[in-house]
């Protein structure tokens, strides 16, 4: 399959590209599109064959449900049985935006889209290109992140091209995704609303609108290894670069000392990469790759760069990766959730 690659400027959208993308979706094809979190791999959410195609293109197990993306709030009532008052409050506050909510589905949503579940995850993204694209596609776009299964989610059009060229009909490139981590998922089908995946909309932001929320213990308990996460996708070993990765935690001076010692004593055939905040990058000369994650106090810069950093480790054939810890106040939980998975829970305290 030849994949069409188009660039769309969110500030002055070429509607002919959006219309073409919409007609591909309506006729059962697949289009990757930008959102404020990560790029999505879109298909018609109400067409079971489109969802099957998505699983094939990603190489993803089909028990892992897809998120249905909408472009106006009221269309949610076409696909879910009931929206609780609390969910409505969250939608009023954080939609459009990086929040996904799970509800009981209506029969119109095929089981192929929900991985066999009777519930459906819904998100109304804020990215202007995503909104126009969803509208042009008929209003319900099923989309997982547009990476091959097991690779980091794409945050640039070129990441999507690396993974999906020849596998889907079209890619819309609108540059960098500004958040860079997947949406927060809140489940409204459990007794108390429960966070299944941490994201930009953090616990404090949820508490300020609906009070206490539960957290999936399999995801949040000591940042998670055992147990069965309620979001099936959280059980897979995601985001893992090919090299072996270690998170080095502790006082800044100790972290720098530990990593620089490792660089000095590296074997000749070993390629070492370091993920560091801007303040520290100059300390790691001698490493084969030093990725500047952004200013230590600029959380969104760090979150938006993480997946690019992990992909670059593979591109540069890095064998051993050391990352500083980015346990920042608001986004830290979401950032560390992905980083710890990427490192296969390999953390050392120095
Ligand atoms: O930011 C995002 O959410 C991006 C963009 C493209 O919108 N999408 C995304 O999709 O991250 P994906 O498929 O990579 O992750 C969706 C997660 C998976 O962990 C899946 O198991 C969970 O959501 N999920 C989807 N529907 C669910 C449901 N009905 N019940 C429980 N978990 C669900
Ligand atoms: Mg994903």
């Amino acid at each position: 399959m030849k994949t069409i690659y188009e660039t769309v400027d969110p500030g002055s959208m070429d509607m002919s590209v959006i219309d073409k993308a919409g007609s591909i979706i309506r006729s059962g094809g697949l289009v990757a599109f930008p959102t404020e979190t990560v790029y999505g791999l879109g298909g018609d959410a109400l067409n079971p064959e489109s969802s099957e195609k998505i699983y094939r293109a990603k190489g993803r197990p089909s028990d892992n449900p897809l998120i249905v993306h909408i472009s106006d709030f009221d269309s949610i009532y076409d696909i879910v049985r009931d929206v609780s008052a609390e969910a409505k409050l969250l939608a009023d506050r954080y939609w459009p935006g990086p929040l996904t909510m799970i509800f009981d589905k209506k029969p119109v949503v095929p089981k192929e889209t929900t991985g066999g579940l009777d519930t459906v995850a819904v998100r109304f993204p804020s990215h202007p290109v995503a909104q126009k694209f969803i509208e042009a596609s008929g209003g319900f776009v099923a989309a997982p992140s547009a990476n091959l299964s097991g690779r980091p989610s794409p945050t640039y059009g070129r990441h999507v091209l690396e993974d999906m060229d020849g596998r889907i009909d079209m890619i819309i490139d609108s540059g960098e995704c500004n958040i860079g981590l997947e949406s927060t998922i809140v489940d409204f089908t459990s007794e108390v609303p429960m966070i299944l995946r941490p994201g930009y909309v953090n616990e404090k932001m949820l508490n300020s609108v609906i009070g206490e929320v539960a957290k999936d213990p399999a995801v949040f308990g000591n940042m998670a290894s055992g147990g069965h996460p309620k979001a099936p996708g959280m059980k897979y070993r995601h985001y893992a670069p090919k090299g072996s990765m270690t998170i080095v935690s502790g006082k800044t001076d100790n972290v720098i000392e530990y990593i620089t010692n490792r660089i000095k004593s590296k074997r000749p055939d070993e390629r070492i990469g370091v993920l560091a905040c801007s303040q520290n990058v100059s300390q790691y000369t001698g490493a084969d790759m030093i990725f500047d994650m952004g200013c230590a106090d600029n959380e969104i810069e760090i979150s938006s760069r993480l997946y690019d950093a992990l992909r670059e480790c593979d591109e540069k054939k890095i064998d051993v990766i050391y990352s500083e810890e980015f346990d920042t106040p608001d986004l830290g939980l979401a950032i560390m959730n992905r980083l710890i998975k990427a490192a296969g829970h390999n953390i050392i305290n120095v």
Side-chain angles (χ1 to χ4, degrees), residues 64-144:
N64 191 357
L66 308 173
I67 295 174
V68 178
H69 295 69
I70 56 175
S71 54
D72 74 288
F73 177 76
D74 284 339
S75 57
I76 196 173
Y77 296 108
D78 293 341
I79 56 172
V80 314
R81 286 187 184 281
D82 183 44
V83 178
S84 67
E86 285 179 320
K88 179 74 174 56
L89 287 173
L90 283 187
D92 288 342
R93 178 71 183 80
Y94 298 118
W95 273 0
L99 173 70
T100 295
M101 293 190 269
I102 296 175
F103 304 96
D104 290 323
K105 76 173 188 72
K106 281 190 172 163
V108 68
V109 184
K111 289 266 175 111
E112 285 78 0
T113 300
T114 61
L117 299 175
D118 290 320
T119 56
V120 61
V122 187
R123 175 158 115 79
F124 178 1
S126 63
H127 197 294
V129 175
Q131 291 182 357
K132 289 290 179 210
F133 162 70
I134 295 162
E135 224 174 277
S137 300
F140 302 98
V141 173

Side-chain angles (χ1 to χ4, degrees), residues 127-175:
H127 197 294
V129 175
Q131 291 182 357
K132 289 290 179 210
F133 162 70
I134 295 162
E135 224 174 277
S137 300
F140 302 98
V141 173
S145 49
N147 51 289
L148 282 174
S149 196
R151 297 215 73 205
S153 295
T155 52
Y156 287 91
R158 63 182 158 80
H159 293 164
V160 182
L161 192 66
E162 277 166 26
D163 285 12
M164 291 296 156
D165 196 16
R167 303 176 74 92
I168 61 176
D169 298 285
M170 185 174 179
I171 296 170
I172 303 174
D173 179 348
S174 297

Side-chain angles (χ1 to χ4, degrees), residues 46 71 105 153 166 168 171 178 195 206 246 262 264 320 339:
L46 307 185
S71 54
K105 76 173 188 72
S153 295
I168 61 176
I171 296 170
N178 63 12
I195 310 177
L206 297 170
T246 304
R262 280 293 290 115
K264 279 185 211 139
V320 182
L339 197 60

Side-chain angles (χ1 to χ4, degrees), residues 18-35:
I18 303 286
D19 289 342
K20 184 158 76 182
S23 73
I24 290 173
I25 296 292
R26 281 183 278 107
S27 57
L30 303 184
V31 177
F33 64 100
T35 83

Side-chain angles (χ1 to χ4, degrees), residues 327-350:
D327 212 355
T328 56
D330 293 322
L331 273 171
L333 191 62
I335 295 170
M336 291 310 294
N337 170 264
R338 274 63 167 193
L339 197 60
I340 288 170
K341 274 194 186 187
H345 298 267
N346 197 6
I347 308 173
I348 58 162
N349 287 292
V350 293

